Amino acid sequence: MSVHQRSAIVTGASGGIGSAIAAMLHEEGFGLTLVGRDPAKLDAVASSLDTGPPVHTIAGSLAEEALLDRIVAEHAAPHGSLDLLVNNAGVSGNRAVGDITADFLDEQLAVNIRAVILLTTRCMPLLKEAVQQRKSAQIVNIASNAGKRGEATLASYSATKFAVVGFTESLHDELSTSGIKATAICPGLVDTPMADDYRDTVGPEEMIAPGDIAEAIRMTIRVSRSCVVPEIVLLRPIEWRQPEGA
Ligand SMILES: NC(=O)c1ccc[n+]([C@@H]2O[C@H](COP(=O)([O-])OP(=O)(O)OC[C@H]3O[C@@H](n4cnc5c(N)ncnc54)[C@H](OP(=O)(O)O)[C@@H]3O)[C@@H](O)[C@H]2O)c1
C-alpha cells in the first residue's frame, strides 16, 4: 500500500448513515474497512463502491471484543496505519423510563459507548502511525442531538450519547496536540431505519438526509491540520425550538 494512501474504518457501515459516510470517504480517496452485522448488506455497500481505493468488509457484533481485535488486525494488514476511525454503529429504541430492562440497556451500552471506547483504544497504535506518516489522524464519533439534550422515551439512549460526547471531549483534551483530532457529530432525526418509529408523524423529506452527515464529516477531514472541529450539531428546523410565547 502506498504511503500516500489514507485509510478509514467505519462501523455500522452496512446501511443508513454509515453507508453514506463510506461512499463519501471512498470518493475522498480512503481505503476502507467497513464493519456491520449483516454480511449481505455490507457486501451490497462494498459493491456500490466500484473503482478506486480498496474496500474490505468485516461482519460481526461490536459487542464482542474478539471482533474489535479482528477489525484492527484486518485493517492493519493491508494499510499499516489508520487515518480516520468513524465510530458510527449504534442502536436505539423508544421506551418509557419505567420500562427499561437490563437487556435493553446493556445492548445500548455495549454498542453505543463500550465498543466506541474499546475500538478507539485498540486503534491508537494505527492512528499514531498515520500521524508519523502523514502528520495527522482523526476520530469521528457519531453521537446524537439526544447526546446534548435528554429526550422523553430516549433516556438510556440519551445517556449513552452524552457519554459519547464526553468521551470525544476527553479525546480532544488528551490527543489534539499529538496530531489526532476528535470530532463528535450530533444529528437530529435522520432518514434511516433507526427513524422508523417516527414515520407516522414525520415524512422522510422532513428528516435530515444521511448524506448531510457525510458532508459534515467531509468538511472536518478537509480543513487544515491546524483546525480541529470538536463537535457538529445538525438539527431539523423543528428541533430545539422554544415553545410559542416562551
Ligand atoms: N437515524 C437517526 O435519526 C439518528 C440520529 C442521531 C444519531 N444517530 C446515530 O447514527 C448512527 C448510525 O445510525 P443509523 O441511523 O444509520 O441507524 P441504522 O440504519 O439502524 O444503522 C445502524 C448501523 O449500526 C450497525 N450495528 C448495530 N448494532 C451493531 C452491532 N452490535 N455490531 C455491529 N454493528 C452494529 C448496523 O448493522 P446491521 O444493519 O448490519 O445490523 C447498522 O449498520 C448511530 O450511532 C445512531 O445512534 C442516528
Side-chain angles (χ1 to χ4, degrees), residues 83-240:
D83 297 273
L84 175 61
L85 169 63
V86 185
N87 285 305
N88 165 72
V91 287
S92 183
N94 294 78
R95 258 187 211 195
V97 68
D99 296 333
I100 294 172
T101 59
D103 285 351
F104 182 79
L105 173 62
D106 286 348
E107 189 193 11
Q108 293 184 359
L109 289 171
V111 181
N112 295 3
I113 183 63
R114 183 176 182 272
V116 170
I117 295 175
L118 291 178
L119 184 59
T120 302
T121 301
R122 283 164 163 82
C123 285
M124 285 308 299
L126 290 177
L127 291 161
K128 286 179 179 167
E129 184 56 33
V131 174
Q132 283 293 313
Q133 293 184 11
R134 288 174 290 282
K135 298 195 166 41
S136 94
Q138 191 177 349
I139 300 157
V140 171
N141 296 324
I142 307 300
S144 169
N145 71 336
K148 303 298 293 180
R149 293 190 183 192
E151 281 183 37
T153 77
L154 286 176
S156 51
Y157 177 77
S158 286
T160 63
K161 294 300 187 178
F162 267 76
V164 172
V165 170
F167 177 61
T168 313
E169 286 177 3
S170 295
L171 292 178
H172 173 73
D173 201 38
E174 189 170 326
L175 301 175
S176 58
T177 55
S178 73
I180 302 177
K181 303 178 185 189
T183 305
I185 306 285
C186 304
L189 195 64
V190 185
D191 183 14
T192 73
M194 192 177 277
D196 284 351
D197 286 349
Y198 298 86
R199 293 194 189 279
D200 286 349
T201 49
V202 188
E205 71 291 347
E206 296 172 279
M207 296 183 191
I208 296 167
D212 294 332
I213 314 302
E215 286 308 316
I217 296 172
R218 194 197 299 270
M219 182 271 283
T220 73
I221 61 176
R222 283 191 170 192
V223 294
S224 69
R225 273 204 296 276
S226 50
C227 175
V228 181
V229 185
E231 186 173 289
I232 300 179
V233 178
L234 301 105
L235 298 178
R236 295 181 297 133
I238 193 82
E239 288 168 334
W240 289 11

Side-chain angles (χ1 to χ4, degrees), residues 13 22 26 34 40-51 55-57:
H26 199 248
L34 305 181
K41 280 162 60 185
L42 275 176
D43 284 350
V45 173
S47 33
S48 72
L49 308 173
D50 40 21
T51 51
V55 179
H56 176 58
T57 62

